[in-house]
Amino acid sequence: MIKDWFSRISDAFIKTDNSNLGKIFSLLDEQINDLKSTFETIEEWHDLNIAEGKTLDLIGEEIGQKRGKLTDDVYRSLIKSKIARDTSDGSFNKVLQVLAQTLNCSPTEFRLYSADEPAAIYMTNTPLSLIYAAGLTPYTFANIVQSTVSAGIEVQSIQLDGTFELSSAADYETNPSSSNGLSSVAQPSQGGTLGSYIVPGKETTVPL
């Protein structure tokens, strides 16, 4: 940029980096680059996936989603959920889209079914790992599901799938280090995770 500025100045001036003019241009160039970087950051933070701190608070306030003491990651998930819920018509497809946006995954990760009772549904096959990856708890997720369906519809139950599974002796011989079985004392962080079964009507409602 400095060379371009020099090209626009009369040859009557000394146009070197060490000249007085060069030093002024150098300072201006530094300030302009700082401003450019700031504007780029502002533009990036308008993206909900990148926004942090106060910027995230402003986005949440604009759509009516309170933060409380939530971390940025959890708050971001609730903002996504709020935005999606505000446009939901309560249909099965729209509910699945809302949940997918909340957990940043595909709608095919969820299964919704009509229950035997009128005005009731239930959910199965939801990976528990996706909920934890979004920074949510199973109970907050259950609240989101209930608040996304049409008014008057009851979510009877939500089945959350873990990764734990028992293997046969033959499978163990083939793959003794499977990450889906029991953990060992030496490596307690390994092994599968247990699932969960939630009945939203029996849980404490979390404000969303």
Side-chain angles (χ1 to χ4, degrees), residues 84-102:
R85 295 199 316 272
D86 286 347
T87 60
S88 175
D89 57 12
S91 66
F92 272 24
N93 286 339
K94 193 62 179 180
V95 170
L96 295 179
Q97 290 175 19
V98 170
L99 299 179
Q101 290 181 41
T102 302

Side-chain angles (χ1 to χ4, degrees), residues 47-68:
D47 182 345
L48 181 56
N49 291 317
I50 301 175
E52 299 177 352
K54 187 60 179 178
T55 304
L56 204 57
D57 290 341
L58 293 174
I59 295 174
E61 289 172 6
E62 185 174 342
I63 65 168
Q65 176 62 59
K66 297 180 179 179
R67 176 194 277 266

Side-chain angles (χ1 to χ4, degrees), residues 101-181:
Q101 290 181 41
T102 302
L103 301 186
N104 195 29
C105 64
S106 169
T108 59
E109 296 285 0
F110 313 100
R111 298 287 187 274
L112 271 180
Y113 302 94
S114 295
D116 293 335
E117 291 79 2
I121 64 172
Y122 64 94
M123 174 177 283
T124 66
N125 301 101
T126 303
L128 190 56
S129 59
L130 291 176
I131 296 173
Y132 287 136
L136 303 176
T137 68
Y139 307 107
T140 300
F141 176 76
N143 286 166
I144 290 173
V145 176
Q146 182 64 73
S147 63
T148 304
V149 300
S150 298
I153 301 297
E154 177 191 5
V155 180
Q156 285 190 340
S157 64
I158 301 175
Q159 175 191 324
L160 305 176
D161 291 348
T163 59
F164 179 80
E165 58 183 19
L166 294 173
S167 63
S168 65
D171 289 339
Y172 180 77
E173 290 293 335
T174 304
N175 185 21
S177 59
S178 171
S179 61
N180 294 336

Side-chain angles (χ1 to χ4, degrees), residues 5-124:
W5 288 344
F6 275 145
S7 68
R8 300 169 184 269
I9 300 297
S10 168
D11 290 337
F13 294 92
I14 299 175
K15 297 187 286 186
T16 64
D17 291 342
N18 291 325
S19 66
N20 289 335
L21 195 59
K23 292 176 181 177
I24 292 173
F25 282 173
S26 180
L27 288 173
L28 287 174
D29 184 59
E30 183 178 340
Q31 293 297 317
I32 289 173
N33 284 333
D34 286 344
L35 284 173
K36 183 180 178 181
S37 177
T38 299
F39 286 136
E40 287 175 348
T41 299
I42 292 173
E43 184 65 27
E44 286 178 352
W45 278 17
H46 279 126
D47 182 345
L48 181 56
N49 291 317
I50 301 175
E52 299 177 352
K54 187 60 179 178
T55 304
L56 204 57
D57 290 341
L58 293 174
I59 295 174
E61 289 172 6
E62 185 174 342
I63 65 168
Q65 176 62 59
K66 297 180 179 179
R67 176 194 277 266
K69 295 183 179 180
L70 300 176
T71 64
D72 280 354
D73 289 339
V74 177
Y75 192 40
R76 187 177 294 109
S77 294
L78 290 184
I79 290 175
K80 289 180 179 179
S81 173
K82 173 66 173 174
I83 293 172
R85 295 199 316 272
D86 286 347
T87 60
S88 175
D89 57 12
S91 66
F92 272 24
N93 286 339
K94 193 62 179 180
V95 170
L96 295 179
Q97 290 175 19
V98 170
L99 299 179
Q101 290 181 41
T102 302
L103 301 186
N104 195 29
C105 64
S106 169
T108 59
E109 296 285 0
F110 313 100
R111 298 287 187 274
L112 271 180
Y113 302 94
S114 295
D116 293 335
E117 291 79 2
I121 64 172
Y122 64 94
M123 174 177 283
T124 66

